[in-house]
Amino acid sequence: MLGEFEYLVISAAMQRGEKAYGAAIRDEIEQTTKRPCSIGALYTTLDRLESKALIATWMGEATSERGGRAKRMVRVTAKGIRAASEFYNTVKFASRGLVWEAD
Amino acid sequence: MNRLVKIVALALEAPEREVVLGDLAECGSPVAGALLDVSGLVLRRQLLIWTTWRPWLALIGVAGVSGYHLGWMHAALSMALFQQTAAWKHYGVHYNTGVTSFRDQVTHMTALAAAIFCWTAVNGSLLRRLSGRAGWLTWLVFYLAVFYFPAARILSSSGVDYGNQPWWATVRWLVPHSAESAAMVAGLFVIPFICGVLGKIALIKPITILCTIAAAILGGSHAHDLEAFSSGTFPAASWHNVLGPYLLAGWPVLIVARILRPTEVGSAGGCTPLEHSCHSSARRDDGHEV
């Protein structure tokens, strides 16, 4: 099963759709979790997900705002979608009937 | 982009460096944050390298075991050459122990020098192929194993008192002290190591095996000559004791020649998933992959 951060990365990539690449995914995760996301964690996770064939990556076009440097584009594969769905359903099932309220 | 960040990013593979620096430029990260980010990624990459067996084999097997024995061979050869050159310089004669003939000594030294040259080239080649991005560490350990540890052990066991010197004073053992030793280091180690790293060892493999055999036979022969010369006072070492150091110094050639096939070896240089993705993107550009 996916790890928590792996799920966040796949979700962020899905949210960004065709425009999913390193910096955009990082931005999406930081906006969602309200926590900083290190580039080291992001890129090693992308590599791990790609090695499991849950995502596919390729070098995108270079833009001037990036100093003429290329992007690493990300696309979630069908296997990745199934893995994320399984993770989500597991969390949802594990949370059934629970109300998260601290005293 | 800050120059320091770019320097740290040099530790990353080129495609990944491009992407990461681009991301940081796009985000407009402050210098400290960018430095922390890049350093973190470099650290993770270095740690990931060590989750496979290849850099461990390079570090322990090649740099450690082979390098250490290579260092002792180098020390023995240096000592023999020093005796000959000093005797020639001061007295105009060659140094003769009476144990073996001068011709036999020269033959042994030549075989040993050729073996060291070949072993170093093979080790350089294997270190590059096995270490990948961890090369900076395995090469450093190889250098220390060859030049520092044998010298440290000889000097520490020679009875000379180094107790009043700080430990860092021993760093001077890492550099050659004379033109002769510098030439020897360059000829026996630097040049063949560079050849090995550049992959120019196709001819060296069979020569290495021949040199190892020659050096071992001549070394064993010298041990028996010493036993005969001393009328048994210095008993000759058994053949496995004679052969052991040569095998431990020269075993990497067996790996290069036999165990790792060229394709296997070539992929050991550390092609990251990103590089694979670059290859796949090239295919995508050709329209053969979605």
Side-chain angles (χ1 to χ4, degrees), chain B residues 114-130:
Chain B
I116 290 174
F117 183 96
C118 296
W119 287 330
T120 306
V122 168
N123 282 357
S125 171
L126 203 56
L127 282 180
R128 181 186 67 81
R129 292 165 175 182
L130 291 175

Side-chain angles (χ1 to χ4, degrees), chain B residues 145-243:
Chain B
V146 170
F147 295 109
Y148 186 78
F149 295 129
R153 198 165 152 196
I154 289 169
L155 291 173
S156 63
S157 62
S158 62
V160 181
D161 184 18
Y162 290 91
N164 58 349
Q165 291 188 11
W167 66 268
W168 46 262
T170 61
V171 169
R172 70 180 189 279
W173 298 339
L174 286 171
V175 289
H177 285 69
S178 63
E180 288 96 336
S181 61
M184 197 167 159
V185 166
L188 292 181
F189 291 100
V190 178
I191 293 170
F193 193 85
I194 291 171
C195 287
V197 167
L198 296 176
K200 313 282 185 195
I201 62 159
L203 276 175
I204 286 179
K205 281 183 267 181
I207 298 172
T208 307
I209 294 169
L210 287 176
C211 289
T212 306
I213 293 168
I217 289 172
L218 291 167
S221 163
H222 179 79
H224 280 276
D225 287 345
L226 185 64
E227 183 182 27
F229 175 78
S230 65
S231 306
T233 308
F234 299 111
S238 57
W239 275 102
H240 63 266
N241 281 342
V242 172
L243 282 174

Side-chain angles (χ1 to χ4, degrees), chain B:
Chain B
M1 187 65 60
N2 184 272
R3 187 182 295 271
L4 189 58
V5 176
K6 287 181 181 171
I7 290 171
V8 175
L10 287 175
L12 299 170
E13 299 283 350
E16 183 159 60
R17 182 164 64 240
E18 176 90 353
V19 168
V20 168
L21 291 179
D23 282 357
L24 291 172
E26 186 178 330
C27 297
S29 301
V31 172
L35 192 60
L36 206 62
D37 269 332
V38 174
S39 306
L41 182 57
V42 168
L43 188 65
R44 282 168 187 265
R45 288 281 178 244
Q46 285 291 321
L47 290 175
L48 275 176
I49 291 169
W50 295 94
T51 58
T52 61
W53 60 270
R54 289 173 190 275
W56 289 106
L57 179 65
L59 184 72
I60 297 169
V62 181
V65 174
S66 178
Y68 181 73
H69 286 89
L70 211 51
W72 278 109
M73 308 279 175
H74 174 230
L77 185 62
S78 299
M79 189 64 78
L81 271 176
F82 170 77
Q83 287 170 337
Q84 291 297 342
T85 51
W88 185 258
K89 266 185 194 171
H90 295 298
Y91 307 108
V93 294
H94 61 75
Y95 181 81
N96 197 344
T97 59
V99 178
T100 51
S101 69
F102 178 66
R103 197 181 67 179
D104 286 349
Q105 282 183 39
V106 171
T107 309
H108 184 214
M109 285 194 297
T110 307
L112 193 56
I116 290 174
F117 183 96
C118 296
W119 287 330
T120 306
V122 168
N123 282 357
S125 171
L126 203 56
L127 282 180
R128 181 186 67 81
R129 292 165 175 182
L130 291 175
S131 307
R133 304 293 288 185
W136 64 273
L137 181 62
T138 54
W139 294 10
L140 177 68
V141 170
F142 181 71
Y143 189 86
L144 290 174
V146 170
F147 295 109
Y148 186 78
F149 295 129
R153 198 165 152 196
I154 289 169
L155 291 173
S156 63
S157 62
S158 62
V160 181
D161 184 18
Y162 290 91
N164 58 349
Q165 291 188 11
W167 66 268
W168 46 262
T170 61
V171 169
R172 70 180 189 279
W173 298 339
L174 286 171
V175 289
H177 285 69
S178 63
E180 288 96 336
S181 61
M184 197 167 159
V185 166
L188 292 181
F189 291 100
V190 178
I191 293 170
F193 193 85
I194 291 171
C195 287
V197 167
L198 296 176
K200 313 282 185 195
I201 62 159
L203 276 175
I204 286 179
K205 281 183 267 181
I207 298 172
T208 307
I209 294 169
L210 287 176
C211 289
T212 306
I213 293 168
I217 289 172
L218 291 167
S221 163
H222 179 79
H224 280 276
D225 287 345
L226 185 64
E227 183 182 27
F229 175 78
S230 65
S231 306
T233 308
F234 299 111
S238 57
W239 275 102
H240 63 266
N241 281 342
V242 172
L243 282 174
Y246 293 98
L247 289 175
L248 288 170
W251 72 267
V253 73
L254 301 175
I255 297 281
V256 170
R258 281 280 166 202
I259 298 172
L260 291 181
R261 290 187 297 276
T263 48
E264 240 182 313
V265 167
S267 67
C271 188
T272 64
L274 184 53
E275 283 180 305
H276 288 301
S277 72
C278 298
H279 302 159
S280 65
S281 73
R283 290 196 297 276
R284 187 175 289 105
D285 291 342
D286 294 342
H288 296 301
E289 186 181 328
V290 179

Side-chain angles (χ1 to χ4, degrees), chain A residues 14-31:
Chain A
M14 288 295 285
Q15 294 282 359
R16 294 290 172 134
E18 294 289 310
K19 292 178 180 170
Y21 62 96
I25 292 172
R26 186 189 187 199
D27 184 49
E28 181 72 30
I29 291 172
E30 287 183 342
Q31 279 183 26

